[in-house]
Amino acid sequence: MQSATRLTLLLCAAWAAALLYGEMGAYWAAHLSCSWPSAHLPDNHVKVAIVADPQLMDSTSLGLPQSSLVLQAVEFFTDLNMRRSFQSVILPYKPDVVLFLGDHFDGGPYLPNKEWQESLFRFKHIFSMNEQRMNPHVPVYYLSGNHDIGYSAFHSIHPEVIRRYEKEFGPRNFHFLAGKVDFVVVDAQTLDAGVKESKERSSSWEFIKTLSSGKESNPKVLLTHIPLYRPDNTACGPHRSSPIINQRVSNAAMGQGITYQNYLSKETSDLLLSLLKPVLVLSGHDHDQCTVVHSTPFGPVTEHTLGTISWQQGNLYPSFMLLSAGAKSTNSTDSSHEVLTNLCFLPKQTHIYIWYICQFVFTILLLIFWPANGLSSLPFANTFVSFMRSVGAELFSSRTKEKDDEEDAEYEMVWDAEGSMHLVKKAVARAPASNSDSRTTARGSVVARPTARKHQQEPDSSVHVEMGPEVVSDDGGRLPRPSKLKVRKVLQRLFRVIQSVVIIAALNVSLYMMLLFKDWIDR
């Protein structure tokens, strides 16, 4: 019973450690594992934190009604993970600007107004700036994604979704200055529109051409939700965790526009690069990390496609980016001095939940098969302890023998010719040791043993008879009978397992709930 109690306490401690790390320590480790791209940024550099594709889950994600408990549970744990990532990993870097690369919602274009407003409330709660350690006046910029407003084929039928989006998140095409770098935001969903006379497409290209005709000398960073064109099977660099996604374009019937595309067309991509001449391109949409270099007449341009921040959107390694923007050095023509980036990874939430499941299974198996008397009741444990004792005895036997010799020795004084005295050990004859246990008495060649051994009873084999699970009836047949002892042991073991599980759950479920709501409640 004492062994079972120690095992229960040990499992309680193991679960507490696992929960503290999975719900809190993993986010601290993610924050400490990354940093701004330069340890000592100049004063004219602006720190920008970039997040891509939150895609808050809703009734369109799993095909479940909004009132479904399963959907609500999935929404809660997904929202909580993103809130922790934003509040505990990203905001502690104290960025000067926060940038979202689109796809804030999952079914944004298709949600009715009431559900859309609820998703908006969740979005503001997850990515709240009203933290004590954060300046609430930090500017936040948003790109529109295909899961926010849809593609051109949808705009022609439901133009109200664009008005609803722009009312809360601002215009679809704009630019802002961070440091001395101009960030250009374009609505990529309208650039490849099949309907040439679409006003959304016209307004996007007019905005781009206006910037291209300007005389600004500031370097530009192009921000587009949909990545630029790249040939099929283009390598995405070392941070890619999923297979490469090639171009796929779907068009609506009767030339009503595009319904889906993985990348912008080659013509659109080349035109964007030639008009804006950016030093860097940032995109999302792919949900996985990808870094490619585009060849242009004015030099190579790097594009970073960021992975999603959500662990529910097909990426086991959620990520975000830290970017520092500043002016190019006067004595350098290298664009790397203008914009510096660092890709950072968030906790692998899927792996954490898998660890919880494995630890739960291991806990149940350990409680079921743990010996009643602990490890000491196992044969290998006794053999190991006996072996260690024999090794220890061998190591200390020689030292003990020398010590005994020193204690039993006799010395005599010897004077040399110069009159000095020396102590010399004398050899002492020892009497042979008698064996007190055997108590034998030798008389010539006859050995007499104590008569007490004659009165010791030999073990009677007839007394120890193992009763099998079957007994013989009067007519010679065998009747099955369950072993009451085995049933009793099984019930005792089951009761012990249930008791230990209840104790572990009572201590750790409360800890888990405290950790959940600690991060969910606004501070």
Side-chain angles (χ1 to χ4, degrees):
M1 193 65 181
Q2 187 177 8
S3 176
T5 302
R6 292 178 179 177
L7 176 62
T8 302
L9 295 177
L10 180 63
L11 291 175
C12 285
W15 271 104
L19 292 176
L20 288 173
Y21 177 79
E23 305 301 315
M24 188 165 55
Y27 296 86
W28 294 349
H31 174 73
L32 296 175
S33 64
C34 197
S35 62
W36 292 102
S38 178
H40 304 286
L41 294 176
D43 295 335
N44 61 347
H45 273 64
V46 176
K47 298 179 290 184
V48 183
I50 307 170
V51 176
D53 297 271
Q55 277 192 228
L56 271 65
M57 303 189 73
D58 49 48
S59 59
T60 65
S61 303
L62 302 176
L64 298 174
Q66 189 180 6
S67 59
S68 171
L69 294 178
V70 175
L71 177 62
Q72 292 178 5
V74 172
E75 288 179 352
F76 173 77
F77 284 99
T78 306
D79 294 357
L80 177 65
N81 172 257
M82 289 191 290
R83 177 175 168 82
R84 281 175 172 169
S85 298
F86 189 73
Q87 305 290 350
S88 301
V89 181
I90 299 176
L91 285 189
Y93 289 109
K94 297 182 179 179
D96 301 316
V97 177
V98 177
L99 175 63
F100 289 87
L101 294 181
D103 277 1
H104 317 316
F105 309 138
D106 195 10
Y110 312 104
L111 296 177
N113 287 331
K114 181 180 179 180
E115 190 174 352
W116 193 88
Q117 290 295 333
E118 292 177 356
S119 296
L120 178 64
F121 175 80
R122 289 165 51 203
F123 183 87
K124 291 181 178 180
H125 173 69
I126 294 169
F127 302 105
S128 172
M129 294 292 177
N130 298 324
E131 295 291 322
Q132 296 179 358
R133 57 176 174 238
M134 186 68 187
N135 182 4
H137 301 292
V138 169
V140 183
Y141 299 101
Y142 305 94
L143 274 70
S144 60
N146 59 295
H147 283 269
D148 300 320
I149 62 175
Y151 289 94
S152 57
F154 191 81
H155 302 158
S156 59
I157 304 175
H158 301 282
E160 68 277 4
V161 298
I162 294 182
R163 294 193 295 268
R164 182 173 66 179
Y165 171 86
E166 291 184 329
K167 180 180 178 181
E168 294 293 340
F169 294 100
R172 297 173 293 111
N173 300 285
F174 64 96
H175 69 102
F176 63 92
L177 199 64
K180 293 188 177 180
V181 176
D182 196 10
F183 289 79
V184 181
V185 177
V186 298
D187 178 13
Q189 290 74 233
T190 60
L191 297 181
D192 276 330
V195 183
K196 300 299 182 181
E197 63 276 7
S198 169
K199 64 177 182 179
E200 289 83 10
R201 181 177 187 274
S202 301
S203 62
S204 296
W205 281 111
E206 287 176 2
F207 166 78
I208 295 170
K209 292 176 181 178
T210 301
L211 289 180
S212 65
S213 60
K215 302 299 182 182
E216 298 89 352
S217 59
N218 292 331
K220 295 184 179 65
V221 174
L222 174 60
L223 305 175
T224 167
H225 174 71
I226 302 177
L228 301 185
Y229 174 81
R230 62 199 63 167
D232 288 350
N233 302 316
T234 300
C236 277
H239 299 298
R240 184 79 178 189
S241 59
S242 61
I244 303 297
I245 298 177
N246 295 324
Q247 174 66 295
R248 176 169 66 88
V249 180
S250 301
N251 293 278
M254 305 298 293
Q256 293 299 314
I258 293 176
T259 58
Y260 187 82
Q261 63 182 147
N262 287 331
Y263 310 129
L264 295 176
S265 65
K266 179 173 175 48
E267 295 76 11
T268 299
S269 301
D270 292 342
L271 186 57
L272 274 175
L273 292 174
S274 62
L275 291 175
L276 296 176
K277 296 181 175 59
V279 297
L280 180 69
V281 179
L282 298 178
S283 58
H285 187 60
D286 199 8
H287 290 198
D288 203 347
Q289 298 74 228
C290 185
T291 300
V292 297
V293 178
H294 302 282
S295 298
T296 65
F298 55 90
V301 177
T302 301
E303 177 182 2
H304 292 299
T305 300
L306 272 67
T308 174
I309 191 179
S310 174
W311 69 282
Q312 280 281 9
Q313 296 300 325
N315 189 353
L316 295 177
Y317 307 93
S319 62
F320 66 100
M321 177 169 282
L322 298 177
L323 180 148
S324 63
K328 182 169 64 176
S329 176
T330 56
N331 57 358
S332 175
T333 59
D334 188 1
S335 61
S336 62
H337 294 280
E338 305 165 7
V339 181
L340 303 175
T341 61
N342 193 10
L343 183 65
C344 305
F345 289 92
L346 296 166
K348 305 173 184 63
Q349 191 64 43
T350 304
H351 296 177
I352 293 175
Y353 287 149
I354 292 175
W355 172 257
Y356 289 165
I357 295 173
C358 294
Q359 185 167 344
F360 175 77
V361 174
F362 179 76
T363 299
I364 299 299
L365 294 177
L366 199 59
L367 290 173
I368 292 175
F369 296 105
W370 186 263
N373 297 325
L375 294 177
S376 60
S377 62
L378 299 178
F380 73 88
N382 292 328
T383 304
F384 178 75
V385 172
S386 301
F387 173 74
M388 295 303 296
R389 287 178 177 175
S390 63
V391 171
E394 289 291 337
L395 292 176
F396 293 101
S397 61
S398 59
R399 183 180 302 177
T400 305
K401 183 177 180 181
E402 292 177 359
K403 183 178 179 181
D404 293 340
D405 292 343
E406 293 292 334
E407 292 177 354
D408 296 339
E410 294 183 4
Y411 298 85
E412 66 175 336
M413 293 182 295
V414 177
W415 301 84
D416 58 11
E418 297 178 357
S420 299
M421 183 188 69
H422 301 278
L423 292 178
V424 180
K425 184 169 62 174
K426 299 194 302 181
V428 180
R430 296 184 182 181
S434 61
N435 190 352
S436 60
D437 294 335
S438 60
R439 298 181 181 180
T440 59
T441 305
R443 295 181 179 178
S445 60
V446 180
V447 178
R449 299 184 180 274
T451 59
R453 290 188 177 272
K454 296 182 180 180
H455 300 287
Q456 292 181 354
Q457 295 181 355
E458 297 293 332
D460 189 1
S461 60
S462 63
V463 177
H464 303 283
V465 178
E466 184 178 357
M467 300 299 294
E470 298 179 348
V471 296
V472 180
S473 61
D474 296 337
D475 56 357
R478 293 189 175 184
L479 299 177
R481 186 181 68 181
S483 175
K484 294 183 179 180
L485 183 60
K486 291 184 178 180
V487 173
R488 184 179 179 181
K489 287 183 178 181
V490 170
L491 292 178
Q492 288 178 347
R493 177 61 59 92
L494 181 61
F495 176 76
R496 191 187 75 179
V497 171
I498 295 176
Q499 185 182 36
S500 299
V501 170
V502 170
I503 295 174
I504 296 172
L507 295 177
N508 289 281
V509 169
S510 57
L511 173 63
Y512 183 63
M513 298 301 294
M514 182 187 67
L515 293 173
L516 288 184
F517 291 100
K518 175 186 74 69
D519 295 322
W520 184 250
I521 299 174
D522 286 325
R523 302 171 188 173

